[in-house]
Structure formats: structure tokens, C-alpha cells
Amino acid sequence: MGELKDKAAGTANDLAGKVKEGIGAATNNPELEAEGEAQQLKGKTQKLAGDVKGAFGDKV
């Protein structure tokens, strides 16, 4: 994936994770809450990968 695709996917995962975490907290569902937290972490990792690719010109 290129820089922009990584950043877009990361943003989407971060947002979806926040929604899942919020729904899990509101419905007292710790599994959904944890899944949301994990998805947010995945999104942050994807954004970081995009930043690294941007810094190295997509050669990573």
C-alpha cells in the first residue's frame, strides 16, 4: 500500500474502533470494547506506516 492508502485505512480503522469501543462501553460489553481498542491500535499502526512511507518516498 502507498502512503495515502495506509493513512486512509488507518483513519477508517481508528474511527471504527472508537465506535465499537463506545458501543461496548454503553452496552456493558467488554469484548466489543476490547475489540474497538484493538482496532484503534491497528489504525494508529497503519497511519504510522503511511508516515514512514511518506518520509522515505514509498520505498519502504
Side-chain angles (χ1 to χ4, degrees):
M1 268 194 224
E3 173 188 2
L4 293 177
K5 287 184 180 181
D6 282 342
K7 287 182 177 183
T11 299
N13 274 315
D14 191 33
L15 180 60
K18 287 179 183 179
V19 170
K20 284 182 184 179
E21 183 181 9
I23 291 172
T27 60
N28 196 24
N29 184 340
E31 289 178 12
L32 187 59
E33 197 171 348
E35 186 179 325
E37 290 173 359
Q39 192 166 2
Q40 286 179 64
L41 181 59
K42 179 181 177 182
K44 290 176 183 169
T45 302
Q46 287 173 316
K47 287 182 199 176
L48 180 61
D51 290 340
V52 169
K53 286 180 181 179
F56 289 102
D58 284 343
K59 294 179 183 175
V60 176

